[in-house]
Amino acid sequence: MLRETWAEIEPGRIADNLRAIRGTLPAGVKLMAVVKANGYGHGDLETAEAARQAGADYLAVAFLEEALRLRAGGATLPILLLTPIRPEQVELALAQDLMLTVTGAEWFRELRRQVPSLAGRKLRVHVKADTGLGRIGFRTEAEWDALVPWLAAPDIDVDGFYTHFATAGQADTAYLERQARQFAALMERSKASGIAIRHYHCAGSVAALRFPGLALDMVRIGAAMYGFYPGHLAPPVELEPALSLHSTLMQAKRVRRGDYIGYDNAYRADADEWIGTVPIGYADGWSQRMQGAAALVRGQRAEIVGKISMDQLMLRLPGPCAPGDRVTLIGRQGGERVSFAELAAHIDGPSQAITTALTERVAKIYASAKEVRCPWNNAYFQPQRQEPTVI
Ligand SMILES: *Cc1c(COP(=O)(O)O)cnc(C)c1O
């Protein structure tokens, strides 16, 4: 590995989280592991494999390309595409045995116009209802009724019927309850229409863990599998992040009170201080909103000062440090920790916004669960100790 900035990822931790989540679900509920966006930044194939080992029944991704990458990499579980594809792309989906999200009759009309025959194959679909997120899905009973004749065709297999919540992580549950009632009404309508539907599902991570009664036939688990959960809620099981992020001090210097640091003179030293330069910047996915957040050096917290630039950032060090010292941007050093909850609060976004932002410039190093018990054990995690998988 040439780069001195790397993410350490422990797929075994993802599997452990998934097993713990499975343990909270009513018996018989299927588990769909959501590995879109390169496994929330953890690596799609590695995450999909960890999910398979933990007993996931399905995988889900957002886009066709993501599913094709999984299939090319050897993933064999059923895969649901969470966003609709264009009818002319159906051949690709059929060839790779992918399940599609469909939202309206117009899509089927276009499909039949462009692909008059599926040549004896069955197209597996999940019908998506919009019960209040306002993103994708049919919204009214009339729109459902218009879908029914298309779904009843002998070459269409309705594997699922689902919706997604807007406010699962909020303390006030009134809107979620309204969406759940709307979904229940649409479920009734779908059952009355005589279409055979294999799985009803509505819950992502937070809804599944907060309200087991919403698990229905299947849950779609993304964030919690990676150890993420809203900071103001307590998960019913222990979830541990699987990713930590590290770099190396490139330069450490003493500056004088009043000296400026970084572009636009955005920081001015309050006193004589030690300033360290770290080779990670916004082009690595460490956005300028991370200014003011902490990193760890020599087991102590150090604030990111001045504007974060494309390739580098500066830290106000706790004292004299040396080039080559490890810098931990996410994770532990000794008794100190920079947590996802803390960083997520700092940028006012979810933890997955941090991991999915990490770019290809950041090397990924995978540790096997067998070899490493504690994901934050700095003593073990040396980048040289293991052949890195650079994606
Ligand atoms: C991303 C996504 C999920 C996963 O949500 P998490 O909160 O990360 O568990 C589930 N369902 C849909 C429709 C999604 O787009």
Side-chain angles (χ1 to χ4, degrees):
M1 188 171 75
L2 300 176
R3 187 78 203 284
E4 292 185 311
T5 296
W6 71 98
E8 292 170 1
I9 297 162
E10 194 186 3
R13 188 62 69 179
I14 294 172
D16 286 348
N17 289 333
L18 213 45
R19 285 190 197 97
I21 295 161
R22 162 84 84 191
T24 70
L25 298 173
V29 173
K30 289 187 184 167
L31 210 154
M32 175 182 276
V34 182
V35 299
K36 61 192 178 187
N38 198 23
Y40 286 40
H42 295 66
D44 52 357
L45 293 173
E46 292 81 359
T47 302
E49 176 56 19
R52 188 193 65 77
Q53 287 179 15
D57 302 286
Y58 278 64
L59 298 172
V61 291
F63 302 121
L64 187 54
E65 294 90 330
E66 296 178 318
L68 297 181
R69 260 183 61 92
L70 287 174
R71 283 283 184 257
T76 54
L77 285 176
I79 300 177
L80 173 65
L81 300 180
L82 295 168
T83 45
I85 63 172
R86 296 197 302 277
E88 66 264 31
Q89 298 170 327
V90 155
E91 186 54 46
L92 268 175
L94 280 168
Q96 297 299 326
D97 193 19
L98 307 176
M99 286 180 285
L100 306 183
T101 290
V102 295
T103 61
E106 189 47 46
W107 186 88
F108 280 104
R109 201 167 289 121
E110 197 53 42
L111 172 72
R112 296 307 188 187
R113 198 156 43 225
Q114 295 192 20
V115 190
S117 163
L118 300 181
R121 296 164 301 180
K122 280 205 170 205
L123 187 62
R124 285 204 287 167
V125 300
H126 285 227
V127 186
K128 178 86 183 276
D130 174 12
T131 56
L133 178 58
R135 197 165 68 179
I136 55 169
F138 74 90
R139 291 167 73 96
T140 65
E141 295 196 342
E143 286 173 273
W144 166 258
D145 293 345
L147 265 164
V148 168
W150 301 102
L151 297 175
D155 55 358
I156 301 297
D157 178 25
V158 187
D159 189 65
F161 183 103
Y162 75 112
T163 194
H164 197 44
F165 293 117
T167 62
Q170 291 189 359
D172 184 344
T173 59
Y175 193 77
L176 178 128
E177 286 166 39
R178 196 172 115 189
Q179 279 196 263
R181 277 196 305 276
Q182 168 71 0
F183 190 57
L186 290 172
M187 273 169 62
E188 281 312 306
R189 186 90 174 182
S190 73
K191 286 175 181 166
S193 66
I195 302 282
I197 296 174
R198 216 167 284 119
H199 305 101
Y200 288 91
H201 51 108
C202 62
S205 292
V206 182
L209 287 169
R210 265 182 104 187
F211 312 106
L214 292 177
L216 307 183
D217 300 314
M218 174 145 60
V219 294
R220 305 183 302 268
I221 303 296
M225 169 167 83
Y226 306 98
F228 303 152
Y229 205 72
H232 61 281
L233 299 171
V237 288
E238 211 179 302
L239 301 171
E240 277 293 334
L243 182 147
S244 60
L245 181 68
H246 308 271
S247 189
T248 313
L249 214 54
M250 203 163 60
Q251 191 193 68
K253 58 180 168 282
R254 182 105 169 124
V255 301
R256 293 267 166 231
R257 178 166 183 268
D259 284 353
Y260 292 104
I261 300 296
Y263 282 126
D264 301 331
N265 291 350
Y267 178 73
R268 189 177 191 194
D270 300 332
D272 292 359
E273 290 172 346
W274 281 89
I275 295 291
T277 304
V278 187
I280 181 171
Y282 59 77
D284 299 293
W286 211 246
S287 97
Q288 291 195 311
R289 284 186 301 165
M290 289 297 187
Q291 184 177 339
L296 305 176
V297 188
R298 298 197 175 187
Q300 289 179 277
R301 298 174 82 83
E303 187 185 328
I304 298 172
V305 294
K307 286 196 180 174
I308 293 174
S309 53
M310 186 183 285
D311 313 308
Q312 287 148 87
L313 59 76
M314 273 70 85
L315 297 175
R316 187 175 55 224
L317 298 170
C321 292
D325 282 356
R326 168 183 294 227
V327 175
T328 294
L329 295 120
I330 307 171
R332 281 193 198 282
Q333 277 192 8
E336 272 293 351
R337 176 181 194 169
V338 177
S339 68
F340 275 103
E342 158 186 358
L343 294 169
H346 188 83
I347 63 164
D348 192 22
S351 298
Q352 55 267 37
I354 299 168
T355 54
T356 57
L358 297 176
T359 66
E360 290 185 10
R361 290 213 311 195
V362 179
K364 294 187 181 73
I365 297 175
Y366 290 94
S368 99
K370 279 199 202 83
E371 291 171 289
V372 182
R373 275 212 187 79
C374 170
W376 311 114
N377 185 337
N378 287 310
Y380 179 84
F381 273 122
Q382 296 299 327
Q384 300 85 349
R385 292 280 277 273
Q386 202 158 350
E387 206 46 51
T389 311
V390 181
I391 293 178

